[in-house]
Amino acid sequence: MNRSPLRHFPLYQTRDANAACAFLQSYFDSDFEVTDEAPNRGFTVDKAILRDMTLVYSVASFGFRARVAGSAVVQQRICLSGKGRVTTARGGADIDTRQWSSMSPAGEGGYLEFSPNYAGLRMVVDDAVMRRKLGALMGDASVDHIAFGRETDVRSPAVIQYRRLLSFLLSELDADGPRAPGLVIDEIAEALLVSYLLGQNHNFTNQLVRPEPTPSRWHQRLAEEYIAQRWNEPLSIEALAKVTNVSARSIFRSFKDTHGCSPFQYVKRVRLHHARAMLLEQNPDMGVISIALKCGFQSLGHFASSYRNEFGELPSQTARR
């Protein structure tokens, strides 16, 4: 079986055929059937719960078909190996490594079919959370329904950015080290949702592609002060929109023009400077790992590489000096 990118977050694993089927029958509730037998019905599920999304990895050595009911979540299914097919009232769509993925909006049910050894990743986001993020991007909190289209332009910059961020997020979750997701992990997931909403075709796409007016320096200053005061708290696009009273897209554009980075990259820099100050204090109770965790970095490798990019030396070198 494939190596799970969420191996540090195990939920269920069995190589017992009856146990595997019982688990899947309880999950899908009804209309579950094995379509391709395998000598050993291995089944694995790993699940990482982040602040505003859940990532689920699953792989089964046997093929199966099941019916899923509509729910209050948006799901993006991403094929890592094997083949699958999703059939809903909107029609059918194949899932493989070439077609890459299929999404199910909130409330949409249908049938899933998977080949033996299909390995997939699901991004699961509560529909209310998705609508709130979209409202913050547009500066309009009145998003009551997102009607996602069937087609996704995999060549669009936002989708390319989404895939890049997803790969980076998975690499961070796969890294050895502390397992509790930190601030940086949650904000990578936040940026992932922004890219997702910008890249998917839905009933608000036209509003998102319109040029945003550049906010005043005062609005950006409000965002910078908010970040400075709450650098050790998770940053969200809703908070930026609320504190500045303009759309999050405007603030993103302003930070890009002024600092050459997004607000999430900016707050990361702020945390790195706080980490440097702690390292220079030479507190014997605060080692490099403790400081990395205190500043929201789950992966020591990510912290060290980011620190070196910012200051030209490793955090251990700063601590020794």
Side-chain angles (χ1 to χ4, degrees):
M1 289 190 181
N2 290 39
R3 168 174 161 165
S4 167
L6 303 177
R7 62 193 173 100
H8 295 301
F9 304 88
L11 177 65
Y12 182 80
Q13 184 175 24
T14 184
R15 292 196 175 276
D16 179 86
N18 294 329
C21 289
F23 180 91
L24 286 165
Q25 284 173 334
S26 67
Y27 178 79
F28 289 109
D29 191 39
S30 63
D31 292 344
F32 169 82
E33 62 175 319
V34 175
T35 56
D36 291 282
E37 296 288 348
N40 183 8
R41 292 187 192 173
F43 182 63
T44 297
V45 183
D46 299 327
K47 183 177 183 180
I49 301 175
L50 307 182
R51 185 180 60 186
D52 283 329
M53 74 167 62
T54 299
L55 295 175
V56 182
Y57 169 86
S58 61
V59 58
S61 64
F62 54 92
F64 65 89
R65 182 176 186 269
R67 182 177 67 84
V68 290
S71 60
V73 296
V74 177
Q75 299 189 65
Q76 185 75 33
R77 293 183 177 85
I78 299 163
C79 177
L80 302 178
S81 68
K83 295 182 179 180
R85 184 170 177 81
V86 179
T87 305
T88 68
R90 296 190 296 168
D94 292 324
I95 314 174
D96 54 35
T97 53
R98 183 177 61 85
Q99 299 282 40
W100 184 60
S101 68
S102 172
M103 71 86 59
S104 297
E108 182 176 84
Y111 284 89
L112 302 175
E113 299 175 72
F114 298 116
S115 69
N117 296 315
Y118 173 88
L121 182 75
R122 281 187 298 129
M123 182 186 78
V124 184
V125 184
D126 188 87
D127 180 58
V129 170
M130 196 70 89
R131 289 187 282 110
R132 196 172 67 237
K133 303 284 182 197
L134 182 58
L137 276 175
M138 300 189 302
D140 181 0
S142 61
V143 176
D144 57 1
H145 175 66
I146 307 177
F148 287 97
R150 285 190 56 80
E151 301 297 327
T152 299
D153 182 4
V154 296
R155 296 168 298 179
S156 73
V159 173
I160 293 171
Q161 174 73 353
Y162 170 83
R163 297 184 67 167
R164 186 182 299 120
L165 282 169
L166 178 61
S167 296
F168 181 56
L169 176 60
L170 292 176
S171 70
E172 289 295 294
L173 293 172
D174 190 45
D176 293 324
R179 293 275 57 85
L183 300 177
V184 175
I185 291 288
D186 282 333
E187 285 162 2
I188 296 170
E190 183 86 352
L192 185 69
L193 286 179
V194 172
S195 291
Y196 185 80
L197 287 167
L198 293 175
Q200 288 291 327
N201 182 29
H202 49 70
N203 51 329
F204 293 95
T205 297
N206 289 338
Q207 291 175 246
L208 288 178
V209 298
R210 293 174 188 165
E212 279 285 308
T214 303
S216 68
R217 182 70 182 94
W218 169 247
H219 289 108
Q220 181 176 316
R221 183 62 182 166
L222 287 174
E224 291 169 348
E225 289 177 352
Y226 176 86
I227 289 171
Q229 293 167 3
R230 295 171 173 81
W231 65 271
N232 57 349
E233 298 176 11
L235 182 66
S236 70
I237 59 172
E238 297 99 315
L240 289 176
K242 183 177 180 180
V243 75
T244 60
N245 201 30
V246 295
S247 74
R249 276 203 308 146
S250 293
I251 293 299
F252 270 66
R253 177 181 173 182
S254 178
F255 270 74
K256 187 70 174 178
D257 292 343
T258 305
H259 299 292
C261 64
S262 72
F264 297 115
Q265 293 166 321
Y266 178 83
V267 71
K268 179 180 170 182
R269 289 179 184 173
V270 171
R271 290 178 185 138
L272 288 170
H273 280 265
H274 278 278
R276 185 173 179 81
M278 293 178 198
L279 288 167
L280 291 171
E281 286 175 1
Q282 297 183 333
N283 185 339
D285 296 327
M286 291 289 288
V288 173
I289 295 177
S290 299
I291 289 172
L293 292 174
K294 186 176 181 63
C295 293
F297 292 86
Q298 179 196 31
S299 164
L300 185 59
H302 180 200
F303 172 64
S305 63
S306 299
Y307 189 95
R308 182 168 55 186
N309 289 338
E310 185 72 14
F311 302 113
E313 64 181 9
L314 291 171
S316 57
Q317 292 173 302
T318 303
R320 285 197 299 269
R321 190 172 69 253

